[in-house]
Amino acid sequence: QLQLVESGGGLVQPGGSLRLSCGASGTRWTNYDIGWFRQAPGKEREGIACISDRRDDSTVYADSVKGRFTISRDNAKNTVYLEMNSLKPEDTANYSCAAEGPYYTRGCALRPVNYGFWGQGTQVTVSS
């Protein structure tokens, strides 16, 4: 069974940067799309970035993070990264990675219901 573990969260000042990692075990990334989601207290879960399976590696970003966050995949390490730059206080949330599959899809989508495998989450706090 696929297991996902996030790491890299923490406290950062506005304008700073963090890199989150999502490591997979139990299987390889083949035929899985990977997404990053976040949820702040009292708010709905928001899809912020996803990357499609290794056949195309296309990406999708939410408007709120476009141009600031970058998602990437290292297939050899079974790891997906989320580079977060120019962080804002409104980026404060619990961040989770998730996987959709195992099946091939063209592209990926920021719909939580599509993802059947979830990590435990890592907290990101942006504060001065």
Side-chain angles (χ1 to χ4, degrees):
Q1 293 181 337
L2 179 66
Q3 294 179 306
L4 305 174
V5 178
E6 304 96 334
S7 62
L11 176 64
V12 64
Q13 293 183 323
S17 299
L18 284 174
R19 186 182 74 167
L20 304 184
S21 298
C22 175
S25 63
T27 189
R28 299 187 65 84
W29 288 129
T30 303
N31 294 135
Y32 284 97
D33 298 341
I34 306 298
W36 281 99
F37 302 82
R38 67 185 182 187
Q39 188 168 27
K43 304 293 184 179
E44 295 183 349
R45 177 168 288 172
E46 175 190 19
I48 57 173
C50 65
I51 185 167
S52 64
D53 61 60
R54 62 189 301 172
R55 295 196 184 193
D56 61 358
D57 283 335
S58 62
T59 58
V60 177
Y61 295 94
D63 289 341
S64 59
V65 305
K66 196 172 300 180
R68 299 189 297 121
F69 292 10
T70 302
I71 188 171
S72 61
R73 180 200 302 258
D74 187 331
N75 291 317
K77 297 181 179 180
N78 269 11
T79 301
V80 169
Y81 303 98
L82 184 68
E83 296 279 355
M84 305 185 296
N85 299 311
S86 301
L87 284 163
K88 306 173 181 179
E90 51 262 44
D91 294 320
T92 296
N94 186 271
Y95 285 70
S96 299
C97 66
E100 175 183 0
Y103 42 77
Y104 169 75
T105 60
R106 187 69 173 180
C108 64
L110 299 176
R111 298 190 295 270
V113 69
N114 287 6
Y115 294 80
F117 303 91
W118 292 81
Q120 83 286 0
T122 185
Q123 181 68 34
V124 173
T125 301
V126 184
S127 176
S128 60

